[in-house]
Amino acid sequence: MSEIRLETPRHGRSELHMGAWSDRLSYLDDPAFDLLWAVERALRTHRPSAVEFDAEGHGYIIVFDWCDQFIIADDGTFTLTHVDIKLEEVAAALVRDIRKDLDLWATFPTGAEDNQSELEDRKIDLGILLSVVEKRL
């Protein structure tokens, strides 16, 4: 199995690793929710689902598909990276890593730690979305 890992968020940043590819995630997006919604949609519909990220200086789009994942990066030139990992493996790894750092992902990127009610709502919403993705595996 190829490595799939979502790093613990720190200081408004994280990193996603899928096989030999990796790139940063920024507070400009909401990576936990964005990634989970995209893989949930792909698992549910059996059709490709995409999510776009602003990596502060460049951007990329991840296309989640049943047997292969694709990253379209724009760092001045467009590059296409193919990651030969099944969608179920990606989804399971994302669930594992987000669940492991649930409190940190709930506060990322909104600064919800300053508002206890908002933080609790985000934790509940994230927990529900994690459960939905798990049921689709």
Side-chain angles (χ1 to χ4, degrees):
M1 180 172 128
S2 297
E3 180 184 277
I4 304 153
R5 183 170 40 95
L6 182 60
E7 291 185 6
T8 299
R10 286 189 169 70
H11 311 295
R13 291 187 172 62
S14 182
E15 193 158 317
L16 177 61
H17 303 267
M18 291 193 314
W21 176 88
S22 69
D23 209 331
R24 65 182 172 253
L25 297 163
S26 162
Y27 68 93
L28 298 173
D29 300 301
D30 197 348
F33 280 99
D34 294 343
L35 288 163
L36 289 172
W37 277 119
V39 297
E40 187 280 331
R41 188 171 41 253
L43 288 166
R44 177 175 33 88
T45 65
H46 296 269
R47 296 187 178 274
S49 177
V51 61
E52 182 176 8
F53 290 104
D54 183 332
E56 298 182 54
H58 69 280
Y60 59 92
I61 297 168
I62 303 173
V63 180
F64 293 105
D65 199 4
W66 201 249
C67 292
D68 301 283
Q69 314 318 309
F70 301 93
I71 297 97
I72 305 163
D74 179 10
D75 54 2
T77 61
F78 286 98
T79 58
L80 176 65
T81 302
H82 169 252
V83 180
D84 185 18
I85 301 175
K86 292 188 180 330
L87 177 61
E88 290 172 331
E89 292 177 49
V90 174
L94 291 174
V95 166
R96 175 198 67 216
D97 292 343
I98 292 169
R99 195 172 293 287
K100 175 179 65 80
D101 295 316
L102 183 63
D103 288 345
L104 293 171
W105 283 114
T107 63
F108 188 99
T110 64
E113 67 273 4
D114 297 334
N115 181 334
Q116 195 61 34
S117 174
E118 182 183 349
L119 175 59
E120 289 305 314
D121 287 348
R122 282 182 57 84
K123 282 172 65 174
I124 290 167
D125 292 346
L126 197 49
I128 290 168
L129 186 52
L130 285 163
S131 295
V132 169
V133 172
E134 283 178 317
K135 285 180 182 176
R136 299 213 183 277
L137 292 176

